[in-house]
Amino acid sequence: MDSPATDLSQKLSREAEAVCRQYLSNGRKHGNYWVVGDVDNTPGRSLYIRLSGPTRGKGAAGKWTDAATGEHGDLLDLIAANLNLSTLRDTLDEARRFLSLPRPELPTTQLQEPAPQGSPEAARRLWAMGQPIAGTLAERYLSARELKDLRSVSALRFHPNCYYWREDADPNDALKSWPALLAKVTDTTGTLTGVHRTWLDPETAKKAPLDPNRKAMGNLLGHAVRIGSPSDILAIGEGLETMLSLRQALAGLPVAAALSGNHLAAFDPPIDLRRLYVAIDNDEAGKTAFDTLTDRFEDSDLRLLPLRPVLDDFNGDLRKCGIDEMRSHLRSQLSPVDVPKLLMAEGC
C-alpha cells in the first residue's frame, strides 16, 4: 500500500500542468515541459518540469530538474521548495488543498502513523523537516573544511534537533538530539530514497562526540547523494566532503557521494553516461570499490577513469594542499576532452 506522500505525488502528476500554472506562473509550456527560472518562480529557462508520462518511475509526469543547481524531485518537493514548507505534514496539507481533497481524519492521539525506523518513508519525513544550510551550524562545519558557496546545493539541509538513537544506552537516556547536516540520497530519477546524517557539536561546529557520528537511513544500495545534473560525465566517490571538495576544484563536474566503499561498488550510474570518474580514497576499501566497478562495467560502453588524491582523500588535499595544487594534480587524470570544460574555465 502506497504512503500518503506517494499517493498525493501520483495525484499531482496527473495535474502537472495545473500545478505549474499555480506555483510557477512565470514559466511557460514548451513541448512536453514547463520551463521557468527556478523553484521560486523566477522567470528563466533553467528549471524543467515534465508535463506528461507515467505516474511513477522513469519519465514520470511531474519530475523536474534545475539545470543550474542540479536540484530535482517530484511535485511534492516542488511545492515544498516553492512555499518554503519545512515539514512533510504541511506539504501534504498544501497538496490536498490544491487537489481539493479533504484532510484525512486521524485520531487526536495519533496524527500520523509512525514510519518504520530507518525506512525510506522515515527518511523522507526527516528530510522534510530540514531547512536550508545558509547561516546554520552546518554551513559553519562545511566552511571549516574549506567547503564554501554551498547554499544553492539542494541536496544539503540542516536539522537543529536530529534524534540520535543508541541501542546500548540506558532506556531513559537512549534518545538524544543533536544538530545535524542532512544529505539527500536519490535514485537516477531524482526520487528520495534515503538521508545521510552528520551530527554536529554546537559549541565547536565540528562533528559531534558520538560513535558513530554519521548514519544513513533508507534505501542506499545503488543510490547516492547527487549534486549537479550529469550529461555524459559524472564523478562518484565515497564521502560527502570528498565529493564536495572535488566539485569545488572542478566546478563543471557533477558529483555523487555513495557514502561507503560497499555502496560505491554497487552504484548504478545513469544509463546515458559516457565517462564515470571514480574518486578513490587512499585505502583498501577505495581500491576494492574501483576494482569492483571496473569488473561490473568491463563489457559496457561506459569508460571508468580513476581520480586519486595526493593525501588520504580530496578533502584532505583541499585543506592541506590548496585548490590550485589540487587542480594541477587532477589535470593529468582527466580525459583530454573534459579539460577545457572542467579546468580552463577556472583559469588553470
Side-chain angles (χ1 to χ4, degrees):
M1 184 176 182
D2 287 334
S3 69
T6 300
D7 181 60
L8 283 172
S9 178
Q10 292 180 21
K11 285 182 169 67
L12 288 170
S13 72
R14 299 185 187 103
E15 307 292 338
E17 185 171 340
V19 173
C20 292
R21 293 187 182 279
Q22 172 69 25
Y23 298 97
L24 302 174
S25 57
N26 287 325
R28 62 184 180 85
K29 186 176 181 180
H30 184 77
N32 191 37
Y33 293 88
W34 189 264
V35 183
V36 71
D38 54 35
V39 294
D40 294 319
N41 198 25
T42 305
R45 297 176 53 85
S46 177
L47 181 67
Y48 292 79
I49 306 98
R50 184 180 288 274
L51 297 178
S52 63
T55 58
R56 67 169 75 194
K58 186 177 181 180
K63 293 291 186 181
W64 57 272
T65 298
D66 189 327
T69 66
E71 190 173 11
H72 51 250
D74 62 13
L75 291 175
L76 278 177
D77 298 319
L78 184 79
I79 290 172
N82 178 263
L83 298 180
N84 290 316
L85 300 176
S86 60
T87 69
L88 179 60
R89 182 180 300 172
D90 289 344
T91 304
L92 298 185
D93 284 347
E94 173 62 20
R96 293 188 184 100
R97 185 202 63 77
F98 173 81
L99 294 166
S100 300
L101 296 174
R103 185 174 179 177
E105 295 183 7
L106 298 174
T108 56
T109 57
Q110 188 177 1
L111 294 178
Q112 189 177 37
E113 290 277 342
Q117 185 175 355
S119 67
E121 178 60 25
R124 180 163 190 153
R125 293 183 188 183
L126 176 62
W127 180 253
M129 291 187 288
Q131 63 189 64
I133 67 169
T136 69
L137 184 67
E139 187 175 44
R140 287 174 55 201
Y141 164 75
L142 293 167
S143 180
R145 301 182 72 90
E146 299 300 325
L147 298 169
K148 307 180 189 299
D149 300 322
L150 297 174
R151 293 187 175 190
S152 65
V153 176
S154 61
L156 303 178
R157 285 186 183 177
F158 174 68
H159 195 303
N161 293 288
C162 186
Y163 286 123
Y164 185 90
W165 175 261
R166 289 186 56 188
E167 294 182 355
D168 61 342
D170 183 277
N172 296 321
D173 195 39
L175 197 60
K176 293 287 188 180
S177 62
W178 292 76
L181 169 66
L182 307 181
K184 180 169 65 170
V185 179
T186 61
D187 62 18
T188 54
T189 70
T191 299
L192 186 152
T193 65
V195 169
H196 183 260
R197 298 152 292 175
T198 302
W199 281 276
L200 306 173
D201 187 331
E203 295 185 3
T204 65
K206 297 180 180 180
K207 293 173 188 172
L210 303 168
D211 186 19
N213 47 32
R214 297 171 180 254
K215 292 183 183 180
M217 61 192 301
N219 182 6
L220 307 181
L221 192 64
H223 310 317
V225 178
R226 303 168 193 268
I227 302 168
S229 299
S231 52
D232 58 346
I233 62 172
L234 174 70
I236 179 70
E238 293 184 46
L240 178 63
E241 289 89 343
T242 291
M243 300 315 293
L244 288 172
S245 301
L246 192 58
R247 171 185 178 271
Q248 191 147 316
L250 305 174
L253 181 64
V255 302
L259 305 176
S260 75
N262 288 336
H263 287 113
L264 174 58
F267 177 68
D268 290 328
I271 58 174
D272 296 330
L273 212 61
R274 298 179 62 186
R275 292 180 298 287
L276 179 64
Y277 287 98
V278 184
I280 305 174
D281 290 354
N282 272 329
D283 56 26
E284 194 60 36
K287 297 172 185 176
T288 300
F290 180 73
D291 290 342
T292 302
L293 278 171
T294 301
D295 291 341
R296 283 179 58 203
F297 296 102
E298 182 178 7
D299 297 326
S300 74
D301 294 330
L302 180 63
R303 183 184 175 194
L304 270 65
L305 298 97
L307 294 177
R308 295 184 171 89
V310 175
L311 303 174
D312 291 341
D313 57 46
F314 283 114
N315 189 241
D317 285 9
L318 179 63
R319 297 168 69 188
K320 297 177 182 179
C321 302
I323 196 166
D324 291 337
E325 184 175 336
M326 185 177 172
R327 287 171 177 158
S328 178
H329 175 71
L330 285 166
R331 177 188 285 269
S332 63
Q333 302 183 63
L334 298 174
S335 172
V337 72
D338 294 326
V339 169
K341 177 180 179 181
L342 301 180
L343 283 176
M344 296 306 185
E346 305 294 340
C348 300

